[in-house]
Amino acid sequence: MSSSENIRVMPTSFTNIDHLTIHLLLLALLQLLNRDMAKEMQKNSMYIEQNDPEGDIRKDFLDDDGRAKRTGTWVTASAHIITAVIGSGVLSLAWAIAQLGWVAGPAVLMAFSFITYYTSTLLSDCYRSPDPVTGKRNYTYMDVVRASLGGRSVQLCGLAQYGNLIGVTIGYTITASISMVAVKRSNCFHRHGHHVKCYTSNNPLMIIFACIQIVLSQIPNFHKLSWLSILAAVMSFAYSSIGIGLSIAKVIGDGPHATTLTGTTVGVDVSASEKVWRAFQAIGDVAFAYAFSTVLVEIQDTLKSSPPENKSMKRATAVGVTTTTLFYIMCGVMGYLAFGNDAPGNFLTGFGFYEPFWLVDFANACIAVHLIGAYQVFCQPIFGFVEKWCNKRWPENKFITSEHGINVPCYGVYHVNSFRLVWRTAYVIVSAVLAMIFPFFNDFVGLIGAASFWPLTVYFPVEMYIARTKIRRFSFTWVWLKILIWSCFIVSLVALVGSVQGLIQSLKTYRPFQAVQEE
């Protein structure tokens, strides 16, 4: 090889070595940079966690369980309770006191109000467990029972709670349609006289009610219901006050009707067997009038954590139960004074009052609006339970889990879930069909109240309190709590028997309403 060739080759070899050296140097430099960047990123991350305002903003929007920040207060909780409690039950209290009389009627009302308040305070302490202030949240009644009792009690609780909620939604569909029918009949009586048979079918109005509920059922969850509950609570105060006012006016104008210490008189108003059955049914009506334990945990889950949820819930319970008890006593007592032993099962829609017809119409319209909101308060836990179970069972199913944003004018983006739309619509339709099959308001009210009052309002709250506080067996507190449980069981049992008997009698005499007769 010539020297000139060597000279040409050497630069090429040196060039390859230089390139290799440069590559190695670059790799080493990159490693140093990566290590320094990692340290800097770790340092910055720690700084962000402690000082970044965006972290504080995220904390402001999330609760301790990672869910959206709860904003409810004892005021909104009171509105939910009043919406759930003051409803169809208040309309039958005059009839209930007429069956029980001046002694037993108010006594039963006060007894159930005290029992409901006491057991509700016990239940509110179970929302978090094991500690009522700092423990883990339980989002539903079944979660509370699972955390405190476990075992078969969870299934029994679910059966009682959701069976009750389904029954309530059916009952509210019936009551709302009766109130809407009463508006049409009131106008008919005003135009053609009280002697005209102004009958009309409830079914078309149940369909209208169901159509409204199909729309409102697309409200995603309980947390979005505050505005509807407040509106419904206002409506309940309105029609209860109108009922009390009309009763007072009737007493002043016509004088008190015949009343007795023991209620309806055997041999005059009812037979001996009817007296017993109606008294049992009246107890069931009163029990249902205070029923809200089925949604208490869900209401408490809307409360913000400061002050503690159990403290706010106890205050809301005191306000709600006290308010409803005052209205119940006034409605029951004044209704009994106005109608005596002939008090109708529903003193606003039973046409004890014909005039002023526009005020009766307004009161019945308020009942319908209230029940629109109350229906949602009771059906949202059903929706939440089924949707949570389906999401857990089929997490990959897009029909169940996916949502699609739709821009709604004056609202913004609304996220539509296909499964939620189909399932909730189907539920409302089925409940409306069942309401058409069983249009017996008074008997249905007693049946629901008697069947659900003992397990949900008394048994589970007391047993969870005993388990949580580890009360010693056969101690004084343990004994009187057990006496409370079994006393309420006997009361619920006789009320259930009375309601079943009343429902059977209604089935025997039921004839579908004809079209409105205005001739």
Side-chain angles (χ1 to χ4, degrees):
M1 185 181 292
S2 65
S3 60
S4 63
E5 290 176 346
N6 287 334
I7 292 170
R8 283 195 300 271
V9 170
M10 289 297 291
T12 305
S13 300
F14 278 122
T15 303
N16 290 336
I17 292 171
D18 291 343
H19 286 170
L20 180 60
T21 303
I22 291 169
H23 286 159
L24 291 173
L25 289 171
L26 287 173
L27 287 173
L29 181 61
L30 285 172
Q31 287 180 354
L32 289 171
L33 288 172
N34 285 338
R35 187 172 62 186
D36 292 340
M37 289 175 66
K39 289 182 179 179
E40 189 65 26
M41 287 176 68
Q42 185 178 5
K43 186 188 299 181
N44 289 340
S45 176
M46 294 173 63
Y47 176 79
I48 287 172
E49 283 187 16
Q50 297 175 7
N51 301 291
D52 186 15
E54 292 185 3
D56 293 335
I57 292 173
R58 284 194 295 271
K59 290 178 183 177
D60 288 341
F61 282 99
L62 296 177
D63 258 329
D64 55 357
D65 58 348
R67 296 193 177 189
K69 195 83 171 177
R70 294 162 178 83
T71 58
T73 64
W74 69 269
V75 176
T76 59
S78 298
H80 286 312
I81 292 171
I82 292 169
T83 299
V85 177
I86 298 183
S88 55
V90 73
L91 307 177
S92 63
L93 291 180
W95 180 89
I97 291 184
Q99 310 314 308
L100 299 171
W102 284 120
V103 177
V108 169
L109 271 173
M110 294 302 298
F112 276 114
S113 68
F114 172 76
I115 293 170
T116 301
Y117 170 73
Y118 176 69
T119 57
S120 296
T121 59
L122 299 183
L123 185 57
S124 64
D125 281 334
C126 298
Y127 171 67
R128 288 182 181 265
S129 59
D131 187 89
V133 177
T134 60
K136 179 181 175 293
R137 295 176 187 266
N138 298 297
Y139 305 111
T140 66
Y141 204 140
M142 286 182 67
D143 291 341
V144 167
V145 174
R146 184 180 291 109
S148 300
L149 300 176
R152 194 175 296 275
S153 296
V154 180
Q155 286 74 34
L156 293 175
C157 171
L159 182 64
Q161 180 188 11
Y162 294 107
N164 171 264
L165 292 173
I166 292 169
V168 169
T169 55
I170 295 170
Y172 280 0
T173 303
I174 296 168
T175 312
S177 69
I178 290 173
S179 298
M180 290 187 281
V181 163
V183 174
K184 295 182 67 174
R185 295 185 67 198
S186 175
N187 292 332
C188 172
F189 288 137
H190 179 71
R191 288 194 298 268
H192 303 287
H194 302 167
H195 63 282
V196 178
K197 295 180 180 179
C198 294
Y199 291 133
T200 184
S201 172
N202 293 31
N203 292 350
L205 296 167
M206 288 188 190
I207 293 171
I208 292 173
F209 182 82
C211 290
I212 296 171
Q213 294 301 338
I214 287 172
V215 175
L216 291 177
S217 292
Q218 303 313 311
I219 296 174
N221 52 54
F222 217 116
H223 302 274
K224 307 294 183 182
L225 283 181
S226 295
W227 66 271
L228 189 58
S229 285
I230 292 172
L231 174 63
V234 171
M235 294 295 104
S236 66
F237 286 133
Y239 70 72
S240 299
S241 300
I242 290 171
I244 294 168
L246 290 173
S247 297
I248 293 172
K250 185 175 178 63
V251 170
I252 293 173
D254 302 336
H257 278 235
T259 61
T260 62
L261 292 177
T262 57
T264 50
T265 304
V266 175
V268 178
D269 304 305
V270 292
S271 65
S273 61
E274 286 177 334
K275 174 69 176 179
V276 173
W277 292 123
R278 289 189 179 190
F280 288 171
Q281 186 181 340
I283 293 172
D285 288 355
V286 175
F288 177 71
Y290 284 103
F292 76 98
S293 57
T294 49
V295 292
L296 185 147
V297 178
E298 284 79 2
I299 292 173
Q300 191 166 348
D301 190 44
T302 67
L303 297 174
K304 57 186 179 182
S305 56
S306 180
E309 298 92 349
N310 63 333
K311 183 178 179 181
S312 297
M313 194 64 201
K314 289 175 182 178
R315 185 178 182 184
T317 300
V319 171
V321 172
T322 301
T323 303
T324 54
T325 301
L326 290 174
F327 270 91
Y328 283 177
I329 290 176
M330 288 190 291
C331 284
V333 168
M334 296 311 303
Y336 187 35
L337 280 174
F339 300 106
N341 293 336
D342 296 325
N346 184 319
F347 76 79
L348 274 177
T349 61
F351 287 95
F353 306 111
Y354 288 95
E355 300 294 340
F357 81 98
W358 57 269
L359 189 59
V360 176
D361 287 354
F362 179 72
N364 282 301
C366 288
I367 295 172
V369 173
H370 169 260
L371 293 176
I372 287 171
Y375 184 101
Q376 286 301 312
V377 169
F378 281 95
C379 71
Q380 282 292 336
I382 303 172
F383 296 156
F385 172 77
V386 172
E387 288 157 17
K388 179 181 177 181
W389 184 85
C390 290
N391 272 278
K392 186 177 180 180
R393 179 69 177 80
W394 298 287
E396 304 299 326
N397 191 312
K398 298 298 182 184
F399 175 76
I400 295 174
T401 59
S402 63
E403 293 190 347
H404 310 282
I406 296 178
N407 192 10
V408 180
C410 303
Y411 176 82
V413 178
Y414 175 77
H415 296 281
V416 177
N417 177 275
S418 300
F419 174 70
R420 183 170 65 212
L421 177 64
V422 173
W423 139 245
R424 295 188 179 193
T425 301
Y427 175 84
V428 173
I429 292 172
V430 171
S431 65
V433 170
L434 290 174
M436 294 177 192
I437 297 173
F438 298 104
F440 314 114
F441 169 69
N442 220 39
D443 306 302
F444 206 75
V445 163
L447 183 63
I448 295 170
S452 62
F453 178 83
W454 181 74
L456 297 174
T457 304
V458 181
Y459 176 75
F460 284 121
V462 172
E463 287 293 342
M464 288 189 292
Y465 173 72
I466 292 173
R468 186 172 57 82
T469 57
K470 297 180 174 59
I471 295 175
R472 185 169 53 85
R473 288 172 64 86
F474 302 110
S475 64
F476 174 78
T477 304
W478 186 90
V479 169
W480 85 260
L481 286 175
K482 289 295 183 178
I483 291 173
L484 174 64
I485 288 175
W486 291 109
S487 299
C488 290
F489 175 75
I490 294 171
V491 170
S492 296
L493 189 62
V494 298
L496 179 64
V497 172
S499 297
V500 170
Q501 194 274 342
L503 190 58
I504 292 171
Q505 292 298 319
S506 296
L507 282 169
K508 289 180 179 179
T509 59
Y510 172 63
R511 296 291 183 274
F513 279 139
Q514 303 169 2
V516 176
Q517 301 176 18
E518 296 188 345
E519 283 94 45

